Amino acid sequence: MSEATSASGCRGENRPLPRVTIVAAILILVLALGAVFFPRAGSYDMQGVFLVFDAPGSNDARVELFSTMADVLEELSGHTMALVVVDTREEFLLQAKQGVDFVLCPDGLALELDQADFGLLVAGRRKLPANLRPRGVMVFRREGGFEPEPWQSHPERTVFGDSLSLVAIGGTGPMSEHRFCAFGPDPYDHGPVLHALRLGAFDFALVRQWDANKFFAHGLLDSVVWGVEERTVPVPDIVLLASRRIPLVERLKWADSLALIGRSGQMKTENPGRMLRNLEEIGLVGFNLLLEPDFELVRRNFQGNWLPEAD
């Protein structure tokens, strides 16, 4: 080998790597990191459980709704989902600690779940024009006048829509302050409380804005007899969460799919269509995305007004 050839060969060996080689190496590194932090669906451990909180004595239509939701979540995740429905706070929190993949519950109850265990997917969406988050409102008898804190001044004449959702209890102080008040049985429907109000059992009711609007619109409450005052900021009201064991990329993908249900471009399969029809049982027409910072703002708004040990 000549000296010129040898020198040329050395120069060839020391030349910088081609740009395409560097790009390929970076791509391989990114894919390797992605495999660690965002494993493929099915490569992470799932419990195969969908936990739902419902009112005691739920009807068959609601059971069908929750069963269809389990089918949709099964379709999205590619994992079989067993439906577990509970009707007490204690049993709900116990089941959640034992390990579940998805949770449907009122927002106030969601605040009691460990943030390290569950992340948000979507919040319930209402029918137009009431498609925004509801506020908590107080319906009061005009003859007796408005009372800013009837749970203290007239506890025996005050009823809350339920004891688990922020629209009914949030912004009115710790639950311990309301121990002499009455509470409705159903966090998804404040109709029973409003019927009791209009029939004379109570003078003050703290309920979901949309439920109160429906009673006024249908003539069940007369605006001459009853007044309404807003009590809370808008709240998510009904939320669907997922275990943080599931990679974030999967949770975001599923949330996007759920938010399409009931909108143009929705999932074109049987289960979402069935679920959309059944969602009316809890007053919903679909879902909206619910981001972590958004719910943290809700948490801060109600900090100190929601006690985990509340009944």
Side-chain angles (χ1 to χ4, degrees), residues 4 16 43 59 95 109 111 129 200 237:
S43 64
N59 58 39
Q95 288 284 344
L109 197 51
L111 290 180
D237 192 32

PDB file of all heavy atoms in Angstrom, residues 4 16 43 59 95 109 111 129 200 237:
ATOM      1  N   ALA A   4       0.439   7.447  -0.075  1.00  0.00           N
ATOM      2  CA  ALA A   4      -0.704   8.296  -0.415  1.00  0.00           C
ATOM      3  C   ALA A   4      -2.011   7.580  -0.103  1.00  0.00           C
ATOM      4  O   ALA A   4      -2.952   8.161   0.432  1.00  0.00           O
ATOM      5  CB  ALA A   4      -0.646   8.699  -1.886  1.00  0.00           C
ATOM      6  N   PRO A  16     -16.412  12.914   9.658  1.00  0.00           N
ATOM      7  CA  PRO A  16     -17.593  12.949  10.519  1.00  0.00           C
ATOM      8  C   PRO A  16     -18.681  12.011  10.006  1.00  0.00           C
ATOM      9  O   PRO A  16     -18.774  11.751   8.793  1.00  0.00           O
ATOM     10  CB  PRO A  16     -18.055  14.405  10.463  1.00  0.00           C
ATOM     11  CG  PRO A  16     -17.058  15.146   9.647  1.00  0.00           C
ATOM     12  CD  PRO A  16     -16.116  14.182   9.029  1.00  0.00           C
ATOM     13  N   SER A  43     -49.034  -3.769  27.256  1.00  0.00           N
ATOM     14  CA  SER A  43     -47.756  -4.149  27.841  1.00  0.00           C
ATOM     15  C   SER A  43     -47.656  -3.707  29.299  1.00  0.00           C
ATOM     16  O   SER A  43     -46.699  -4.017  29.966  1.00  0.00           O
ATOM     17  CB  SER A  43     -46.602  -3.531  27.039  1.00  0.00           C
ATOM     18  OG  SER A  43     -46.643  -2.129  27.105  1.00  0.00           O
ATOM     19  N   ASN A  59     -81.784   2.160  39.197  1.00  0.00           N
ATOM     20  CA  ASN A  59     -82.711   1.463  38.308  1.00  0.00           C
ATOM     21  C   ASN A  59     -81.975   0.710  37.203  1.00  0.00           C
ATOM     22  O   ASN A  59     -80.772   0.858  37.008  1.00  0.00           O
ATOM     23  CB  ASN A  59     -83.724   2.456  37.708  1.00  0.00           C
ATOM     24  CG  ASN A  59     -83.039   3.584  36.949  1.00  0.00           C
ATOM     25  OD1 ASN A  59     -82.046   3.377  36.254  1.00  0.00           O
ATOM     26  ND2 ASN A  59     -83.574   4.789  37.067  1.00  0.00           N
ATOM     27  N   GLN A  95     -62.735   0.047  47.527  1.00  0.00           N
ATOM     28  CA  GLN A  95     -62.546  -0.573  46.216  1.00  0.00           C
ATOM     29  C   GLN A  95     -61.463   0.144  45.421  1.00  0.00           C
ATOM     30  O   GLN A  95     -60.642  -0.485  44.749  1.00  0.00           O
ATOM     31  CB  GLN A  95     -63.860  -0.551  45.431  1.00  0.00           C
ATOM     32  CG  GLN A  95     -64.923  -1.510  45.939  1.00  0.00           C
ATOM     33  CD  GLN A  95     -64.637  -2.946  45.560  1.00  0.00           C
ATOM     34  OE1 GLN A  95     -63.814  -3.226  44.685  1.00  0.00           O
ATOM     35  NE2 GLN A  95     -65.313  -3.870  46.214  1.00  0.00           N
ATOM     36  N   LEU A 109     -66.447  13.451  45.311  1.00  0.00           N
ATOM     37  CA  LEU A 109     -65.902  12.155  45.698  1.00  0.00           C
ATOM     38  C   LEU A 109     -64.553  11.925  45.031  1.00  0.00           C
ATOM     39  O   LEU A 109     -63.650  11.314  45.617  1.00  0.00           O
ATOM     40  CB  LEU A 109     -66.885  11.050  45.311  1.00  0.00           C
ATOM     41  CG  LEU A 109     -66.706   9.679  45.953  1.00  0.00           C
ATOM     42  CD1 LEU A 109     -66.586   9.773  47.459  1.00  0.00           C
ATOM     43  CD2 LEU A 109     -67.844   8.763  45.565  1.00  0.00           C
ATOM     44  N   LEU A 111     -62.327  14.124  44.553  1.00  0.00           N
ATOM     45  CA  LEU A 111     -61.325  14.868  45.313  1.00  0.00           C
ATOM     46  C   LEU A 111     -60.763  14.043  46.466  1.00  0.00           C
ATOM     47  O   LEU A 111     -59.685  14.346  46.979  1.00  0.00           O
ATOM     48  CB  LEU A 111     -61.919  16.166  45.857  1.00  0.00           C
ATOM     49  CG  LEU A 111     -62.244  17.257  44.842  1.00  0.00           C
ATOM     50  CD1 LEU A 111     -62.834  18.471  45.543  1.00  0.00           C
ATOM     51  CD2 LEU A 111     -61.011  17.657  44.055  1.00  0.00           C
ATOM     52  N   PRO A 129     -78.705  24.498  25.642  1.00  0.00           N
ATOM     53  CA  PRO A 129     -77.615  25.452  25.871  1.00  0.00           C
ATOM     54  C   PRO A 129     -76.887  25.235  27.194  1.00  0.00           C
ATOM     55  O   PRO A 129     -75.953  25.945  27.500  1.00  0.00           O
ATOM     56  CB  PRO A 129     -78.340  26.800  25.883  1.00  0.00           C
ATOM     57  CG  PRO A 129     -79.670  26.476  26.502  1.00  0.00           C
ATOM     58  CD  PRO A 129     -80.014  25.103  25.965  1.00  0.00           C
ATOM     59  N   GLY A 200     -93.217  21.458  50.326  1.00  0.00           N
ATOM     60  CA  GLY A 200     -93.276  22.090  51.634  1.00  0.00           C
ATOM     61  C   GLY A 200     -92.375  21.517  52.703  1.00  0.00           C
ATOM     62  O   GLY A 200     -92.394  21.992  53.848  1.00  0.00           O
ATOM     63  N   ASP A 237     -68.651  18.348  38.068  1.00  0.00           N
ATOM     64  CA  ASP A 237     -69.905  17.686  38.421  1.00  0.00           C
ATOM     65  C   ASP A 237     -69.842  16.156  38.343  1.00  0.00           C
ATOM     66  O   ASP A 237     -70.055  15.482  39.335  1.00  0.00           O
ATOM     67  CB  ASP A 237     -71.027  18.228  37.532  1.00  0.00           C
ATOM     68  CG  ASP A 237     -72.399  17.820  38.019  1.00  0.00           C
ATOM     69  OD1 ASP A 237     -72.582  17.683  39.236  1.00  0.00           O
ATOM     70  OD2 ASP A 237     -73.292  17.638  37.186  1.00  0.00           O
TER      71      ASP A 237
END
